Amino acid sequence: MIKLHDKYFKPFISAEEIDEAVGRLAEEIARDMGDEIPVFVGILNGSFMFTSDFVKKYPNPCEVTFIKLASYQGVKSSEDIQRLIGLTQDLTGRTVVILEDIIDSGKTLNEVHRIFKNERVKSLKVATLFFKPEAYKKDFKLHYVGIEIPDKFIVGYGLDYDGLGRDIPEVYQIKKTQHMTNLVLFGPPGAGKGTQADFLKKKYNLVHISTGDVFRFNIKNETALGMLAKSYMDKGELVPDQVTIDMLNAEVEKNADANGFIFDGFPRTTAQAEALDQLMHTKDSEITAMIALEVDDDILVKRLLERGKTSGRADDANEGVIRNRIREYYDKTAVLKDYYSGQNKYFGIDGVGSIEEITVRVSALINSF
Ligand code: IMP
Ligand code: MG
């Protein structure tokens, strides 16, 4: 995923697919041209990359030139009349092929036709690499179309969003949802995970999805998924990952306008981490980071023994039990640390210090994404 100005874009068309489409156009056009030497006219700025790659693949002799359409400065009109810059060549009697990066509403193409009416060309053909059929409002024939795409904004391969993105060799599509910060939060018992989750959800408008809470909610309210989960638990079996994922999916869908999510208690295995990636992918989103609070064992033991004095939780009262729980945590999270490290998404945060000191560290990390 990439960010240009205020918007996020996801990979859409690979460099290979583009290359293949450009090659196909070059062959198709060459076949139709026969012995004719065409003049290819790229429409700047967007088609610079397409034109360059296209003529490299064009198998026969050809001429290449560029024109640019510019709005008249200082003239305000409802129909935005454009003028042309760069057409110095005499095109009388020539076969001209317009090379467009993208045809959307067809407004630009309309201007091109208007301007070329005065040139006494032999024939005028239009080739466009990308075409949005749902957006097209004119009826000029498009002689050659590379790839048809849905009516969504794209960038890359010459196309820009407010000046940025033209240099990218692939095409990216604008993201529809804005789940920007999706965290998987980890920490050994006593690390202060709950405290940090509360802080993060308020500061960044995130929704805290604790798998334990989600299970309890679904079982208590006897939802279909809750009943299904319970049927496994009653038999003493593990709840299948798909059931858990379906519950998480419901939580994510309930909170479509959140800035993101904090996943707590899930994933626990590589298979679950993959399933979560898949879920986020279906939401046009992704896991941003695994944040693990790191606290030295001896400090955890001290904190939990302290808590045990007042909480009355039996598992907080005995040092042996506490050390076992900590060891179990490291055993279980090791695979996830590897999984997210492999995607450069693992971030250990020093969890020793005051609550405020730790929130400062976590915020600094999140602000860096
Ligand atoms: P049309 O005049 O509506 O057909 O749009 C053509 C022009 O609008 C292109 O030359 C681009 O400059 C711009 N444009 C249309 N759709 C997109 C897009 O998805 N990404 C970037 N630019 C676009
Ligand atoms: Mg253009």
Side-chain angles (χ1 to χ4, degrees), residues 209-228:
I209 300 184
S210 149
T211 321
D213 291 345
V214 172
F215 264 90
R216 280 186 288 276
F217 172 87
N218 278 278
I219 291 172
K220 183 167 154 254
N221 291 287
E222 300 188 344
T223 67
L225 286 168
M227 304 292 275
L228 185 57

PDB file of all heavy atoms in Angstrom, residues 209-228:
ATOM      1  N   ILE A 209     -10.574  -5.015  19.579  1.00  0.00           N
ATOM      2  CA  ILE A 209     -11.238  -6.311  19.424  1.00  0.00           C
ATOM      3  C   ILE A 209     -10.473  -7.352  20.223  1.00  0.00           C
ATOM      4  O   ILE A 209      -9.425  -7.830  19.810  1.00  0.00           O
ATOM      5  CB  ILE A 209     -11.336  -6.730  17.938  1.00  0.00           C
ATOM      6  CG1 ILE A 209     -12.130  -5.682  17.150  1.00  0.00           C
ATOM      7  CG2 ILE A 209     -12.004  -8.101  17.820  1.00  0.00           C
ATOM      8  CD1 ILE A 209     -12.359  -6.050  15.691  1.00  0.00           C
ATOM      9  N   SER A 210     -10.995  -7.635  21.404  1.00  0.00           N
ATOM     10  CA  SER A 210     -10.396  -8.669  22.232  1.00  0.00           C
ATOM     11  C   SER A 210     -11.141  -9.968  21.940  1.00  0.00           C
ATOM     12  O   SER A 210     -12.359 -10.053  22.104  1.00  0.00           O
ATOM     13  CB  SER A 210     -10.526  -8.271  23.708  1.00  0.00           C
ATOM     14  OG  SER A 210     -10.639  -9.427  24.502  1.00  0.00           O
ATOM     15  N   THR A 211     -10.410 -10.955  21.471  1.00  0.00           N
ATOM     16  CA  THR A 211     -11.062 -12.201  21.040  1.00  0.00           C
ATOM     17  C   THR A 211     -11.879 -12.808  22.176  1.00  0.00           C
ATOM     18  O   THR A 211     -12.981 -13.307  21.952  1.00  0.00           O
ATOM     19  CB  THR A 211     -10.028 -13.225  20.540  1.00  0.00           C
ATOM     20  OG1 THR A 211      -9.037 -12.518  19.821  1.00  0.00           O
ATOM     21  CG2 THR A 211     -10.669 -14.245  19.639  1.00  0.00           C
ATOM     22  N   GLY A 212     -11.337 -12.753  23.387  1.00  0.00           N
ATOM     23  CA  GLY A 212     -12.054 -13.287  24.545  1.00  0.00           C
ATOM     24  C   GLY A 212     -13.416 -12.616  24.697  1.00  0.00           C
ATOM     25  O   GLY A 212     -14.444 -13.282  24.853  1.00  0.00           O
ATOM     26  N   ASP A 213     -13.425 -11.282  24.618  1.00  0.00           N
ATOM     27  CA  ASP A 213     -14.678 -10.522  24.739  1.00  0.00           C
ATOM     28  C   ASP A 213     -15.652 -10.880  23.613  1.00  0.00           C
ATOM     29  O   ASP A 213     -16.854 -10.998  23.838  1.00  0.00           O
ATOM     30  CB  ASP A 213     -14.421  -9.007  24.688  1.00  0.00           C
ATOM     31  CG  ASP A 213     -13.692  -8.522  25.941  1.00  0.00           C
ATOM     32  OD1 ASP A 213     -13.652  -9.290  26.940  1.00  0.00           O
ATOM     33  OD2 ASP A 213     -13.167  -7.386  25.922  1.00  0.00           O
ATOM     34  N   VAL A 214     -15.112 -11.015  22.403  1.00  0.00           N
ATOM     35  CA  VAL A 214     -15.957 -11.321  21.243  1.00  0.00           C
ATOM     36  C   VAL A 214     -16.623 -12.689  21.423  1.00  0.00           C
ATOM     37  O   VAL A 214     -17.817 -12.849  21.176  1.00  0.00           O
ATOM     38  CB  VAL A 214     -15.130 -11.276  19.935  1.00  0.00           C
ATOM     39  CG1 VAL A 214     -15.942 -11.788  18.753  1.00  0.00           C
ATOM     40  CG2 VAL A 214     -14.636  -9.860  19.665  1.00  0.00           C
ATOM     41  N   PHE A 215     -15.833 -13.649  21.905  1.00  0.00           N
ATOM     42  CA  PHE A 215     -16.402 -14.977  22.183  1.00  0.00           C
ATOM     43  C   PHE A 215     -17.503 -14.894  23.228  1.00  0.00           C
ATOM     44  O   PHE A 215     -18.602 -15.399  23.027  1.00  0.00           O
ATOM     45  CB  PHE A 215     -15.302 -15.920  22.704  1.00  0.00           C
ATOM     46  CG  PHE A 215     -14.713 -16.764  21.628  1.00  0.00           C
ATOM     47  CD1 PHE A 215     -13.614 -16.327  20.913  1.00  0.00           C
ATOM     48  CD2 PHE A 215     -15.272 -17.991  21.317  1.00  0.00           C
ATOM     49  CE1 PHE A 215     -13.067 -17.108  19.897  1.00  0.00           C
ATOM     50  CE2 PHE A 215     -14.734 -18.779  20.310  1.00  0.00           C
ATOM     51  CZ  PHE A 215     -13.631 -18.331  19.605  1.00  0.00           C
ATOM     52  N   ARG A 216     -17.188 -14.243  24.335  1.00  0.00           N
ATOM     53  CA  ARG A 216     -18.170 -14.156  25.419  1.00  0.00           C
ATOM     54  C   ARG A 216     -19.445 -13.467  24.941  1.00  0.00           C
ATOM     55  O   ARG A 216     -20.551 -13.916  25.218  1.00  0.00           O
ATOM     56  CB  ARG A 216     -17.568 -13.423  26.630  1.00  0.00           C
ATOM     57  CG  ARG A 216     -16.676 -14.338  27.483  1.00  0.00           C
ATOM     58  CD  ARG A 216     -16.204 -13.640  28.745  1.00  0.00           C
ATOM     59  NE  ARG A 216     -15.205 -12.604  28.463  1.00  0.00           N
ATOM     60  CZ  ARG A 216     -13.889 -12.857  28.309  1.00  0.00           C
ATOM     61  NH1 ARG A 216     -13.420 -14.070  28.441  1.00  0.00           N
ATOM     62  NH2 ARG A 216     -13.054 -11.863  28.055  1.00  0.00           N
ATOM     63  N   PHE A 217     -19.289 -12.397  24.159  1.00  0.00           N
ATOM     64  CA  PHE A 217     -20.448 -11.661  23.640  1.00  0.00           C
ATOM     65  C   PHE A 217     -21.317 -12.562  22.769  1.00  0.00           C
ATOM     66  O   PHE A 217     -22.534 -12.620  22.918  1.00  0.00           O
ATOM     67  CB  PHE A 217     -19.977 -10.439  22.834  1.00  0.00           C
ATOM     68  CG  PHE A 217     -21.082  -9.727  22.115  1.00  0.00           C
ATOM     69  CD1 PHE A 217     -21.818  -8.724  22.755  1.00  0.00           C
ATOM     70  CD2 PHE A 217     -21.418 -10.064  20.802  1.00  0.00           C
ATOM     71  CE1 PHE A 217     -22.854  -8.076  22.089  1.00  0.00           C
ATOM     72  CE2 PHE A 217     -22.456  -9.417  20.138  1.00  0.00           C
ATOM     73  CZ  PHE A 217     -23.171  -8.423  20.779  1.00  0.00           C
ATOM     74  N   ASN A 218     -20.682 -13.290  21.851  1.00  0.00           N
ATOM     75  CA  ASN A 218     -21.437 -14.134  20.914  1.00  0.00           C
ATOM     76  C   ASN A 218     -22.121 -15.304  21.621  1.00  0.00           C
ATOM     77  O   ASN A 218     -23.234 -15.684  21.261  1.00  0.00           O
ATOM     78  CB  ASN A 218     -20.514 -14.663  19.806  1.00  0.00           C
ATOM     79  CG  ASN A 218     -20.324 -13.642  18.705  1.00  0.00           C
ATOM     80  OD1 ASN A 218     -21.156 -13.520  17.816  1.00  0.00           O
ATOM     81  ND2 ASN A 218     -19.240 -12.879  18.780  1.00  0.00           N
ATOM     82  N   ILE A 219     -21.450 -15.853  22.626  1.00  0.00           N
ATOM     83  CA  ILE A 219     -22.044 -16.987  23.337  1.00  0.00           C
ATOM     84  C   ILE A 219     -23.202 -16.501  24.210  1.00  0.00           C
ATOM     85  O   ILE A 219     -24.288 -17.062  24.196  1.00  0.00           O
ATOM     86  CB  ILE A 219     -20.963 -17.736  24.144  1.00  0.00           C
ATOM     87  CG1 ILE A 219     -20.013 -18.441  23.155  1.00  0.00           C
ATOM     88  CG2 ILE A 219     -21.590 -18.754  25.097  1.00  0.00           C
ATOM     89  CD1 ILE A 219     -18.785 -19.051  23.782  1.00  0.00           C
ATOM     90  N   LYS A 220     -22.957 -15.393  24.914  1.00  0.00           N
ATOM     91  CA  LYS A 220     -23.987 -14.853  25.796  1.00  0.00           C
ATOM     92  C   LYS A 220     -25.241 -14.468  25.000  1.00  0.00           C
ATOM     93  O   LYS A 220     -26.363 -14.724  25.420  1.00  0.00           O
ATOM     94  CB  LYS A 220     -23.423 -13.626  26.527  1.00  0.00           C
ATOM     95  CG  LYS A 220     -24.382 -13.018  27.531  1.00  0.00           C
ATOM     96  CD  LYS A 220     -23.682 -12.013  28.448  1.00  0.00           C
ATOM     97  CE  LYS A 220     -24.674 -10.996  28.972  1.00  0.00           C
ATOM     98  NZ  LYS A 220     -24.526  -9.688  28.329  1.00  0.00           N
ATOM     99  N   ASN A 221     -25.044 -13.862  23.836  1.00  0.00           N
ATOM    100  CA  ASN A 221     -26.182 -13.411  23.028  1.00  0.00           C
ATOM    101  C   ASN A 221     -26.696 -14.500  22.083  1.00  0.00           C
ATOM    102  O   ASN A 221     -27.565 -14.242  21.264  1.00  0.00           O
ATOM    103  CB  ASN A 221     -25.809 -12.164  22.237  1.00  0.00           C
ATOM    104  CG  ASN A 221     -25.622 -10.971  23.154  1.00  0.00           C
ATOM    105  OD1 ASN A 221     -26.590 -10.436  23.675  1.00  0.00           O
ATOM    106  ND2 ASN A 221     -24.376 -10.604  23.400  1.00  0.00           N
ATOM    107  N   GLU A 222     -26.129 -15.683  22.214  1.00  0.00           N
ATOM    108  CA  GLU A 222     -26.566 -16.831  21.432  1.00  0.00           C
ATOM    109  C   GLU A 222     -26.663 -16.530  19.935  1.00  0.00           C
ATOM    110  O   GLU A 222     -27.647 -16.867  19.272  1.00  0.00           O
ATOM    111  CB  GLU A 222     -27.901 -17.382  21.980  1.00  0.00           C
ATOM    112  CG  GLU A 222     -27.759 -17.823  23.430  1.00  0.00           C
ATOM    113  CD  GLU A 222     -28.994 -18.544  23.968  1.00  0.00           C
ATOM    114  OE1 GLU A 222     -30.055 -18.451  23.340  1.00  0.00           O
ATOM    115  OE2 GLU A 222     -28.867 -19.207  25.008  1.00  0.00           O
ATOM    116  N   THR A 223     -25.654 -15.841  19.419  1.00  0.00           N
ATOM    117  CA  THR A 223     -25.604 -15.634  17.964  1.00  0.00           C
ATOM    118  C   THR A 223     -25.311 -16.982  17.310  1.00  0.00           C
ATOM    119  O   THR A 223     -24.851 -17.924  17.981  1.00  0.00           O
ATOM    120  CB  THR A 223     -24.475 -14.658  17.571  1.00  0.00           C
ATOM    121  OG1 THR A 223     -23.215 -15.284  17.847  1.00  0.00           O
ATOM    122  CG2 THR A 223     -24.560 -13.342  18.338  1.00  0.00           C
ATOM    123  N   ALA A 224     -25.568 -17.062  16.009  1.00  0.00           N
ATOM    124  CA  ALA A 224     -25.326 -18.323  15.293  1.00  0.00           C
ATOM    125  C   ALA A 224     -23.870 -18.741  15.468  1.00  0.00           C
ATOM    126  O   ALA A 224     -23.567 -19.914  15.749  1.00  0.00           O
ATOM    127  CB  ALA A 224     -25.677 -18.156  13.820  1.00  0.00           C
ATOM    128  N   LEU A 225     -22.955 -17.771  15.341  1.00  0.00           N
ATOM    129  CA  LEU A 225     -21.532 -18.093  15.484  1.00  0.00           C
ATOM    130  C   LEU A 225     -21.200 -18.487  16.914  1.00  0.00           C
ATOM    131  O   LEU A 225     -20.378 -19.369  17.157  1.00  0.00           O
ATOM    132  CB  LEU A 225     -20.671 -16.912  15.031  1.00  0.00           C
ATOM    133  CG  LEU A 225     -20.596 -16.699  13.525  1.00  0.00           C
ATOM    134  CD1 LEU A 225     -19.974 -15.339  13.210  1.00  0.00           C
ATOM    135  CD2 LEU A 225     -19.799 -17.814  12.861  1.00  0.00           C
ATOM    136  N   GLY A 226     -21.838 -17.812  17.857  1.00  0.00           N
ATOM    137  CA  GLY A 226     -21.627 -18.119  19.272  1.00  0.00           C
ATOM    138  C   GLY A 226     -22.045 -19.551  19.585  1.00  0.00           C
ATOM    139  O   GLY A 226     -21.327 -20.294  20.262  1.00  0.00           O
ATOM    140  N   MET A 227     -23.210 -19.944  19.072  1.00  0.00           N
ATOM    141  CA  MET A 227     -23.706 -21.305  19.297  1.00  0.00           C
ATOM    142  C   MET A 227     -22.770 -22.335  18.651  1.00  0.00           C
ATOM    143  O   MET A 227     -22.502 -23.389  19.224  1.00  0.00           O
ATOM    144  CB  MET A 227     -25.121 -21.474  18.705  1.00  0.00           C
ATOM    145  CG  MET A 227     -26.141 -20.474  19.225  1.00  0.00           C
ATOM    146  SD  MET A 227     -26.525 -20.723  20.951  1.00  0.00           S
ATOM    147  CE  MET A 227     -27.794 -21.961  20.742  1.00  0.00           C
ATOM    148  N   LEU A 228     -22.305 -21.962  17.479  1.00  0.00           N
ATOM    149  CA  LEU A 228     -21.396 -22.868  16.777  1.00  0.00           C
ATOM    150  C   LEU A 228     -20.103 -23.048  17.585  1.00  0.00           C
ATOM    151  O   LEU A 228     -19.629 -24.167  17.810  1.00  0.00           O
ATOM    152  CB  LEU A 228     -21.093 -22.299  15.383  1.00  0.00           C
ATOM    153  CG  LEU A 228     -20.259 -23.155  14.440  1.00  0.00           C
ATOM    154  CD1 LEU A 228     -20.915 -24.519  14.224  1.00  0.00           C
ATOM    155  CD2 LEU A 228     -20.085 -22.440  13.096  1.00  0.00           C
TER     156      LEU A 228
END
